[in-house]
Amino acid sequence: MDAGALAGCLRDKSVLITGSTGFLGKLFVEKILRVQPAVKKIYLLVRTSHGASAEQRVMSEVTGEAVFDIQREKYGPVGFQNFIKEKVVPIDGDIMHDNLGLDSAQV
């Protein structure tokens, strides 16, 4: 399957990603948003760590990284933040817990 066909598969789809604060995870998130900006939503399962919420960690450890500079240049600072808020949904959870640490209303 070529990259164009793969990107087409993600159009209007929602994706759940674990490990997005890691090296490969943030590259994966950036790549999806760059090659298929019509992805519906990207849900990022992130642990709360040292008092930082999942949303704070995504902003600092994922979308705040230099790998997103191309996106920031493309959309501009405000447009980039709006694009991220529209597409990326941080979820506070942990793969080590049952139901990913989510309560029944979130599952």
Side-chain angles (χ1 to χ4, degrees):
M1 179 180 284
D2 66 41
L6 182 59
C9 291
L10 295 173
R11 176 180 290 280
D12 297 321
K13 298 287 191 297
S14 293
V15 181
L16 171 68
I17 299 175
T18 62
S20 63
T21 59
F23 178 76
L24 292 177
K26 64 186 80 178
L27 291 175
F28 186 52
V29 172
E30 188 279 335
K31 180 75 169 187
I32 291 172
L33 291 171
R34 186 166 34 89
V35 301
Q36 187 48 270
V39 65
K40 187 174 183 178
K41 295 282 183 191
I42 300 178
Y43 295 92
L44 303 180
L45 186 73
V46 179
R47 283 188 310 249
T48 298
S49 177
H50 304 293
S53 69
E55 184 174 359
Q56 290 168 328
R57 288 193 66 203
V58 166
M59 289 174 50
S60 66
E61 298 176 36
V62 182
T63 62
E65 293 287 328
V67 70
F68 283 88
D69 286 349
I70 293 170
Q71 299 287 330
R72 271 189 279 283
E73 288 178 25
K74 178 180 177 179
Y75 294 104
V78 174
F80 174 73
Q81 289 303 320
N82 291 337
F83 177 68
I84 293 300
K85 286 181 182 179
E86 176 187 337
K87 300 294 180 176
V88 176
V89 180
I91 299 173
D92 184 15
D94 190 334
I95 62 169
M96 298 298 290
H97 298 141
D98 291 338
N99 294 325
L100 302 175
L102 305 173
D103 62 36
S104 60
Q106 293 175 297
V107 175

